[in-house]
Amino acid sequence: MTMLKLFGIIFFCGLLSPSQEVLSGLSCAVSPAAMQNVLSEAILQNGLLQQHLQGLVLPNIVSEGGLLNSPTSITGLHLVKVRRPKLSVVLLSGIGVQLSIAAKLELSGDCLVGLLSELIDILVDVRITANIKCTNYEAGTVQVVFEDCLCILGAVKIKLLSGLLTLSVNEIVLRQLTAALPALLCPVLEIVVNLVNIQLLGTLNAVIPVGTAGTIHYQLASLPFTSGLFLGMDLDGAVKQVGGTIIPHDSSPAALPALLDKLLVLGLRQSFLNAALILLIQTPPQTFTCTPEVFSSATPLREAIMSLVPAGCPACHGTSPLSIKLSLGGNPLLFLEDNKASVELSVLIQVFAKRSDGAILTLLLLKADLALNVHLSIVGGRLVLGLSLGSTALSLESSDVGISNISNLKPHCSSLLTETFLPLINGALRVGIPLPNVLGIPFIKVEIQI
């Protein structure tokens, strides 16, 4: 299960005590179970370990024999199959991850005992344990260090085709496998871990398009850190417009609540969401005629405006029908409160007509300050914001015809914005804010908390 969390600059999560202030930031925490699932899929289920062990060739096992034993030689000993591999992960506080793989290795070769040559099959239990830690953070990347690798052999079962297995053969095989296998298996596991590291770190350093508006470049903001309960990563996301201009935002790290029964907790800072919102809401000015064909409340709005025009307005004679131009009056601002998200947005409403000489006559230039309610959802790995009108504050910017009282226009302008402008904004937001594919953990059964 995945949990997505949105944090404001001053926001207290219900899972924390009131004294723990959550700073603005984009961070994620991964549970040990999630880390184990990710590594198990990448190393075992995808066949990566089997693939790199497949070419494993062990040194010949040779015994000179003695007074009571014939000389023994085992040659061509190679890996046939890795049986029932199982991976486990322990998070080491302040160090990194301890990775353990237990498996049965099926080996086969040719055995010569005295003058008798036959096939030999060996089944040996092994457990490989190593520590993995991140170091040397620089420019969004880290170096993964593989160290303290330990390989322990368990039960060994030997089978000869003739069934004539002597005690000396058993002792020779166990002794020489114990000496040879660790030096062979640890380097292979290190290669596999390095390959998986490239794959997984790639999920934390990715440029993702945001429709046609721009991109978000996610990357690590610092070294990952571990406790005994979770692996934590501070991320940052550079929000870029088409052309490369970066929309700035606060990049302070975030404190995350406990994982509980979740696999992943992802925190998104309010300032980051604001930058993404600016990227998405770049609606060009919209102009249309004030007719019922465009929006249903056009007639009441036109009548209400014309009733405000001073009688005998000389400038109004010989003008065309009313037109309306809607344009953004600045960048949107997202606000996060306890269990609530809202957006403040200003819209300029110009009501004008063209005079017979081609000049523009602005009957009204209004500013509508909108308080918009936000509904959040996850669709296809993207955070989608849906807006609905909460309240409207209307103010008069200017009028070429001397209109000064606009108190009765508020309900008509609210209807205008609901019918014409909000669908445009929601259409732009439908692209959604792409979320980082942290370690390839899918967003399933997502719980959003503000």
Side-chain angles (χ1 to χ4, degrees), residues 100-115:
S100 294
I101 296 178
K104 293 180 180 293
L105 302 184
E106 181 181 340
L107 307 173
S108 183
D110 298 311
C111 181
L112 178 65
V113 180
L115 300 177

Side-chain angles (χ1 to χ4, degrees), residues 26-28 219-225 232-236 252-255:
L26 170 58
S27 296
C28 57
Q219 66 177 20
L220 281 170
S222 62
L223 274 175
F225 56 95
M233 289 163 283
D234 282 333
L235 304 179
D236 199 5
S252 304

Side-chain angles (χ1 to χ4, degrees), residues 139-206:
T141 62
V142 297
Q143 178 185 355
V144 173
V145 177
F146 180 93
E147 60 185 18
D148 300 328
C149 183
L150 179 65
C151 180
I152 300 176
L153 271 61
V156 178
K157 295 182 180 179
I158 304 173
K159 179 182 177 183
L160 287 173
L161 190 61
S162 67
L164 301 176
L165 180 63
T166 66
L167 183 62
S168 62
V169 172
N170 193 76
E171 291 176 348
I172 292 167
V173 169
L174 179 59
R175 183 173 64 251
Q176 297 208 23
L177 286 184
T178 301
L181 274 178
L184 295 173
L185 296 180
C186 281
V188 171
L189 184 57
E190 183 174 7
I191 291 171
V192 169
V193 167
N194 286 333
L195 290 173
V196 170
N197 160 53
I198 294 171
Q199 172 191 335
L200 296 182
L201 286 184
T203 68
L204 306 176
N205 192 341

Side-chain angles (χ1 to χ4, degrees), residues 367-379:
K367 182 183 178 185
D369 293 317
L370 310 181
L372 304 169
N373 301 318
V374 179
H375 175 262
L376 299 166
S377 60
I378 301 294
V379 180

